Amino acid sequence: MPWEAARRRREGNELHRGPRSPGQGLFLSLLLSAPLLTSCDLPTESPQWEQRWILPADEFSLEVEEILPDHVGITPDGTAFLVDVDPVVFQTTLGSLCALCAPLEGQFVPKPPFQGDFHHTISFPDEVESVVVRQGEVLVVATNNLGFDPIRPPGGQRGSLTLTLRDGGPGGRVLDQETWNGTTASFPPGGTLSGTFTFTGPVGSSLHALVTVDSPAGGLDAGSRVPVRLQDQLQVSATAPPLEVTSATVEVAGRVFDMEGQELDVGDVDQELVDRVVSGALELEITNPWGVGAGFTLVIDGPEVGVAVTRTIAIPPGPSSTVRVEFSQDDLRSFLGKEGVTLGGQGTVSSSAGSVTATPSQLLLLDAKLDLILRIG
């Protein structure tokens, strides 16, 4: 019980409490000692003085996932973040790939040769600026909606289709690559080619998928002719399960977060102490791994509290700080000695906070102690 770890010190008329049992015997001994602190003259009224008691309360925590943007969670074992990536579908037309096909629209002809590419960005959730990937994969499926096989044209040589997955953009680090060669693979009309692309390590806020097509000329005989329809398409879909990442740099400015109510261990504070409370404060020593400032509405509540006690405080930026939250006599008497009392609340990260780099194990810690003024006598 943290109350038993309290320490008393006496400075002038202020006394700090030492190790105690919160029972009635403590108060009898305090009352019996009162005459030793008065003058030799007999008082006409019972003497009164004030004591200051510093009582350790509990340690409260805010988990890192509370400040993460939407679509970023955490694995069940707490060792990695899970970053959702929306599936994408992109495509190109025969007219975009094959300049020689333009005058041949609607004809059956020997297939003209062409080379071309098309690409798409696979974006991470908003506010995610970069991540370090522990395990990432993207399932890619290419579908041929042309009227011919572009990598194995009838009567012609063999071509290829290559998909390259990069970090960020066309010049980014190659994460994975796969080539389907017409000598070993076919891609007939209505057919598909698929592959799973895996990657690890640092990446930015998006992935870049590039499809490169090398399609040779077809045969010249009548049996090798193919239909040319400029609006026919090659289509690619890319689907990624949530990426497992060991750290993420995210934008947190203005982020609203909740701290779920956690037990404030004040249930066995005896009523005799509660009755003597004059005023006091909750002193919070804050360890802030992200170093961002925030406004926070602190709420003390419980089944026996009646009306919840709330205070709006400012959490300063920086790795550590101390915040003092003042309470009136009525506030303190409403929750001291009550069972099931909790401390929680809601906050908003400062609009000037910018971005932070977060890891799954991080917690914002609030080490709380009560600073109480008691009237004795």
Side-chain angles (χ1 to χ4, degrees), residues 72-94:
V72 179
I74 197 164
T75 58
D77 63 3
T79 61
F81 295 133
L82 293 173
V83 178
D84 292 336
V85 180
D86 289 336
V88 298
V89 177
F90 59 105
Q91 56 278 316
T92 193
T93 63
L94 177 61

Short mmCIF file of all heavy atoms in Angstrom, two decimals, residues 72-94:
data_model
loop_
_atom_site.label_atom_id
_atom_site.label_comp_id
_atom_site.label_asym_id
_atom_site.label_seq_id
_atom_site.Cartn_x
_atom_site.Cartn_y
_atom_site.Cartn_z
N VAL A 72 -3.12 2.78 -37.67
CA VAL A 72 -1.85 2.27 -37.13
C VAL A 72 -2.16 1.69 -35.76
O VAL A 72 -2.62 2.39 -34.86
CB VAL A 72 -0.79 3.38 -37.01
CG1 VAL A 72 0.50 2.81 -36.43
CG2 VAL A 72 -0.52 4.03 -38.37
N GLY A 73 -1.93 0.38 -35.61
CA GLY A 73 -2.19 -0.30 -34.35
C GLY A 73 -0.93 -0.94 -33.81
O GLY A 73 0.18 -0.51 -34.12
N ILE A 74 -1.12 -1.98 -33.03
CA ILE A 74 0.01 -2.65 -32.40
C ILE A 74 -0.27 -4.14 -32.37
O ILE A 74 -1.43 -4.57 -32.28
CB ILE A 74 0.25 -2.08 -30.98
CG1 ILE A 74 1.63 -2.46 -30.47
CG2 ILE A 74 -0.85 -2.49 -30.02
CD1 ILE A 74 2.08 -1.63 -29.27
N THR A 75 0.76 -4.95 -32.51
CA THR A 75 0.59 -6.41 -32.51
C THR A 75 0.14 -6.89 -31.13
O THR A 75 0.39 -6.22 -30.12
CB THR A 75 1.90 -7.11 -32.89
OG1 THR A 75 2.93 -6.71 -31.96
CG2 THR A 75 2.33 -6.75 -34.30
N PRO A 76 -0.52 -8.05 -31.06
CA PRO A 76 -0.98 -8.56 -29.77
C PRO A 76 0.14 -8.72 -28.74
O PRO A 76 -0.09 -8.54 -27.54
CB PRO A 76 -1.61 -9.91 -30.12
CG PRO A 76 -2.06 -9.75 -31.54
CD PRO A 76 -1.02 -8.88 -32.18
N ASP A 77 1.35 -9.04 -29.20
CA ASP A 77 2.46 -9.21 -28.25
C ASP A 77 3.18 -7.90 -27.95
O ASP A 77 4.14 -7.87 -27.16
CB ASP A 77 3.45 -10.26 -28.75
CG ASP A 77 4.14 -9.86 -30.06
OD1 ASP A 77 3.90 -8.73 -30.55
OD2 ASP A 77 4.91 -10.68 -30.58
N GLY A 78 2.74 -6.79 -28.56
CA GLY A 78 3.30 -5.49 -28.26
C GLY A 78 4.69 -5.24 -28.80
O GLY A 78 5.34 -4.28 -28.39
N THR A 79 5.16 -6.03 -29.74
CA THR A 79 6.53 -5.88 -30.23
C THR A 79 6.64 -5.09 -31.52
O THR A 79 7.75 -4.76 -31.95
CB THR A 79 7.18 -7.25 -30.44
OG1 THR A 79 6.44 -7.98 -31.43
CG2 THR A 79 7.21 -8.05 -29.14
N ALA A 80 5.52 -4.77 -32.17
CA ALA A 80 5.58 -4.05 -33.44
C ALA A 80 4.27 -3.29 -33.65
O ALA A 80 3.22 -3.66 -33.11
CB ALA A 80 5.82 -5.01 -34.61
N PHE A 81 4.36 -2.23 -34.45
CA PHE A 81 3.16 -1.55 -34.91
C PHE A 81 2.61 -2.30 -36.12
O PHE A 81 3.36 -2.97 -36.85
CB PHE A 81 3.47 -0.11 -35.32
CG PHE A 81 3.91 0.77 -34.19
CD1 PHE A 81 5.02 1.59 -34.33
CD2 PHE A 81 3.22 0.80 -32.99
CE1 PHE A 81 5.44 2.42 -33.30
CE2 PHE A 81 3.64 1.62 -31.95
CZ PHE A 81 4.74 2.43 -32.11
N LEU A 82 1.33 -2.14 -36.36
CA LEU A 82 0.68 -2.66 -37.56
C LEU A 82 0.17 -1.47 -38.37
O LEU A 82 -0.67 -0.70 -37.89
CB LEU A 82 -0.48 -3.58 -37.20
CG LEU A 82 -0.11 -4.89 -36.50
CD1 LEU A 82 -1.36 -5.63 -36.05
CD2 LEU A 82 0.72 -5.78 -37.43
N VAL A 83 0.69 -1.31 -39.57
CA VAL A 83 0.32 -0.19 -40.43
C VAL A 83 -0.55 -0.71 -41.56
O VAL A 83 -0.10 -1.52 -42.38
CB VAL A 83 1.58 0.50 -40.99
CG1 VAL A 83 1.19 1.65 -41.91
CG2 VAL A 83 2.46 1.02 -39.85
N ASP A 84 -1.80 -0.25 -41.60
CA ASP A 84 -2.71 -0.65 -42.67
C ASP A 84 -2.34 0.05 -43.97
O ASP A 84 -2.00 1.24 -43.98
CB ASP A 84 -4.15 -0.29 -42.31
CG ASP A 84 -4.69 -1.12 -41.15
OD1 ASP A 84 -4.17 -2.23 -40.93
OD2 ASP A 84 -5.63 -0.66 -40.49
N VAL A 85 -2.42 -0.69 -45.06
CA VAL A 85 -2.15 -0.15 -46.38
C VAL A 85 -3.35 -0.47 -47.27
O VAL A 85 -3.71 -1.63 -47.42
CB VAL A 85 -0.87 -0.75 -46.99
CG1 VAL A 85 -0.61 -0.15 -48.37
CG2 VAL A 85 0.33 -0.50 -46.07
N ASP A 86 -3.97 0.55 -47.83
CA ASP A 86 -5.14 0.33 -48.68
C ASP A 86 -4.72 -0.36 -49.97
O ASP A 86 -3.68 -0.04 -50.56
CB ASP A 86 -5.82 1.65 -49.01
CG ASP A 86 -6.52 2.27 -47.82
OD1 ASP A 86 -6.87 1.50 -46.89
OD2 ASP A 86 -6.72 3.49 -47.80
N PRO A 87 -5.56 -1.31 -50.45
CA PRO A 87 -5.26 -1.94 -51.75
C PRO A 87 -5.42 -0.93 -52.88
O PRO A 87 -6.19 0.03 -52.78
CB PRO A 87 -6.32 -3.05 -51.84
CG PRO A 87 -7.43 -2.60 -50.94
CD PRO A 87 -6.79 -1.84 -49.83
N VAL A 88 -4.67 -1.14 -53.95
CA VAL A 88 -4.76 -0.25 -55.11
C VAL A 88 -4.94 -1.09 -56.38
O VAL A 88 -4.51 -2.26 -56.44
CB VAL A 88 -3.51 0.65 -55.25
CG1 VAL A 88 -3.36 1.55 -54.04
CG2 VAL A 88 -2.26 -0.17 -55.46
N VAL A 89 -5.58 -0.49 -57.37
CA VAL A 89 -5.72 -1.08 -58.71
C VAL A 89 -5.32 0.01 -59.70
O VAL A 89 -5.82 1.14 -59.62
CB VAL A 89 -7.15 -1.56 -58.97
CG1 VAL A 89 -7.26 -2.09 -60.40
CG2 VAL A 89 -7.57 -2.64 -57.97
N PHE A 90 -4.44 -0.32 -60.62
CA PHE A 90 -4.05 0.64 -61.65
C PHE A 90 -3.88 -0.08 -62.97
O PHE A 90 -3.74 -1.31 -63.02
CB PHE A 90 -2.78 1.40 -61.25
CG PHE A 90 -1.56 0.56 -61.00
CD1 PHE A 90 -0.53 0.50 -61.92
CD2 PHE A 90 -1.42 -0.17 -59.81
CE1 PHE A 90 0.61 -0.25 -61.69
CE2 PHE A 90 -0.28 -0.93 -59.57
CZ PHE A 90 0.74 -0.97 -60.51
N GLN A 91 -3.92 0.68 -64.04
CA GLN A 91 -3.91 0.08 -65.37
C GLN A 91 -3.37 1.05 -66.41
O GLN A 91 -3.19 2.24 -66.15
CB GLN A 91 -5.31 -0.36 -65.79
CG GLN A 91 -6.37 0.74 -65.78
CD GLN A 91 -6.94 0.96 -64.40
OE1 GLN A 91 -7.24 0.00 -63.69
NE2 GLN A 91 -7.04 2.22 -64.01
N THR A 92 -3.12 0.49 -67.61
CA THR A 92 -2.77 1.30 -68.76
C THR A 92 -3.42 0.70 -69.98
O THR A 92 -3.90 -0.45 -69.96
CB THR A 92 -1.24 1.37 -68.93
OG1 THR A 92 -0.92 2.39 -69.87
CG2 THR A 92 -0.68 0.04 -69.40
N THR A 93 -3.48 1.47 -71.06
CA THR A 93 -4.12 1.00 -72.29
C THR A 93 -3.08 0.61 -73.33
O THR A 93 -1.92 1.04 -73.27
CB THR A 93 -5.03 2.08 -72.87
OG1 THR A 93 -4.23 3.22 -73.24
CG2 THR A 93 -6.09 2.51 -71.86
N LEU A 94 -3.53 -0.16 -74.30
CA LEU A 94 -2.65 -0.51 -75.41
C LEU A 94 -2.21 0.75 -76.14
O LEU A 94 -1.05 0.87 -76.55
CB LEU A 94 -3.38 -1.45 -76.37
CG LEU A 94 -2.60 -1.84 -77.63
CD1 LEU A 94 -1.31 -2.58 -77.28
CD2 LEU A 94 -3.49 -2.68 -78.56
#
